[in-house]
Amino acid sequence: MLMQGKTAIVTGASRGIGAAVAKKLASMGASIAVVYANNRDAAEEICRQCAEEYGVRAASYACDVSDFAQAAETVKLIRRDFGNIHMLVNNAGVTRDGLVAAMGEADFDRVLDVNLKGAFNMIRHCARAFLVAREGAIVNISSVSGLMGNAGQANYSASKAGLIGLTKSVARELASRGVRCNAVAPGFIRTDMTGELNEASNRLAQSIPLGRFGAPEDVAEAVAYLMGADYVTGEVLRVDGGIAM
Ligand code: NAI
């Protein structure tokens, strides 16, 4: 159990990639703080699975990560419940796709607020604890859309590219205190977020060198690797079947 005695916060962990990450880190012995937006039952179910299957402590916290004050309060609560925090996974994300010529201001703002500012908020409120402990690892879930751009996703791609800049700046800023920050850039992963792509998925899959969509567990493996990779910081690890190479 590589992560026994460590605590990980995973945002947006009630389903999809976040849930897979929470379970993967739990399987390695970490205690898990599941941060969720709305679905309390689903978040509690992930906690139950972490506790029953892997014997770790797990608790859920409702929080809109885009809200600076809520993020601060949530980190405070998690520290009260678990003591120190060692890992942070900024996974919470939303899409509001549309062509840029018609995109509403609210759709642009919401995607940036959740995907980019949400990650900043969580890092901002965990950073001091990491610095004092001289230990900590952050993984931000970006996207190949942030590397390549994607028609119909100006807001989403901007937020995910922004996360890469955030990752590298935080990595540089915190490195001297032994705190690392990396990003994972998934390609097409089968989750609720990509559910609506199902009809077009055969055509899409053909454009992926490995010929198929990924699974949430593929992303979770990459997060677990980066959490343990002591000499890796500021990296962006693609988990995309080769689509963005
Ligand atoms: P999902 O929609 O299943 O999960 C997103 C999670 O974020 C949900 O649990 C949702 O409740 C939570 N969330 C949304 N807004 C929130 C807020 N304001 N505060 C707290 N939590 C909030 O999507 P999926 O596919 O699991 O995506 C997870 C991450 O991976 C996202 O950041 C997404 O952009 C990224 N990603 C997903 C890809 C895919 O193909 N599924 C590809 C590349 C990146």
Side-chain angles (χ1 to χ4, degrees), residues 13 22-23 26 32 34 40-60:
K23 286 196 269 183
I32 305 293
V34 167
R40 177 156 191 244
D41 289 348
E44 284 291 310
E45 172 59 19
I46 299 302
C47 290
R48 193 193 60 74
Q49 289 176 17
C50 289
E52 282 186 9
E53 288 171 30
Y54 306 113
V56 300
R57 278 186 69 199
S60 67

Side-chain angles (χ1 to χ4, degrees), residues 7-243:
T7 297
I9 300 178
V10 186
T11 69
S14 58
R15 69 183 199 190
I17 292 170
V21 169
K23 286 196 269 183
K24 176 68 191 177
L25 299 181
S27 78
M28 297 170 83
S31 302
I32 305 293
V34 167
V35 173
Y36 67 97
N38 300 307
N39 196 337
R40 177 156 191 244
D41 289 348
E44 284 291 310
E45 172 59 19
I46 299 302
C47 290
R48 193 193 60 74
Q49 289 176 17
C50 289
E52 282 186 9
E53 288 171 30
Y54 306 113
V56 300
R57 278 186 69 199
S60 67
Y61 302 84
C63 172
D64 177 349
V65 294
S66 71
D67 183 311
F68 189 81
Q70 269 188 53
E73 185 57 27
T74 301
V75 171
K76 204 166 128 190
L77 286 174
I78 295 169
R79 292 189 68 195
R80 182 201 66 189
D81 294 348
F82 286 89
N84 235 345
I85 298 161
H86 305 88
M87 293 172 271
L88 168 65
V89 183
N90 285 307
N91 165 80
V94 291
T95 52
R96 298 276 191 280
D97 294 354
L99 298 175
V100 70
M103 185 173 286
E105 184 181 7
D107 287 340
F108 187 87
D109 287 348
R110 186 62 187 155
V111 171
L112 268 289
D113 280 350
V114 175
N115 299 6
L116 182 55
K117 189 181 160 202
F120 160 74
N121 287 343
M122 294 300 293
I123 292 169
R124 163 70 177 76
H125 297 304
C126 289
R128 194 157 299 153
F130 287 157
L131 288 172
V132 169
R134 292 186 164 265
E135 182 186 352
I138 303 162
V139 175
N140 297 316
I141 306 299
S142 177
S143 167
V144 293
S145 294
L147 295 170
M148 304 162 69
N150 195 17
Q153 289 198 313
N155 49 1
Y156 184 78
S157 303
S159 73
K160 295 297 185 178
L163 269 180
I164 292 172
L166 178 70
T167 299
K168 292 182 179 181
S169 295
V170 170
R172 286 185 186 277
E173 202 174 309
L174 305 188
S176 66
R177 300 281 196 88
V179 181
R180 297 179 300 104
C181 184
N182 291 290
V184 174
F188 291 105
I189 307 296
R190 260 191 211 293
T191 66
D192 292 339
M193 190 177 268
T194 49
E196 70 227 37
L197 295 174
N198 272 349
E199 269 182 29
S201 63
N202 277 347
R203 189 173 40 81
L204 260 175
Q206 282 166 18
S207 68
I208 301 169
L210 285 179
R212 57 183 167 82
F213 278 36
E217 290 72 22
D218 294 320
V219 181
E221 284 292 335
V223 173
Y225 162 72
L226 289 170
M227 285 306 182
D230 284 343
Y231 200 55
V232 178
T233 197
E235 183 57 86
V236 182
L237 179 52
R238 287 186 295 107
V239 180
D240 66 349
I243 201 166

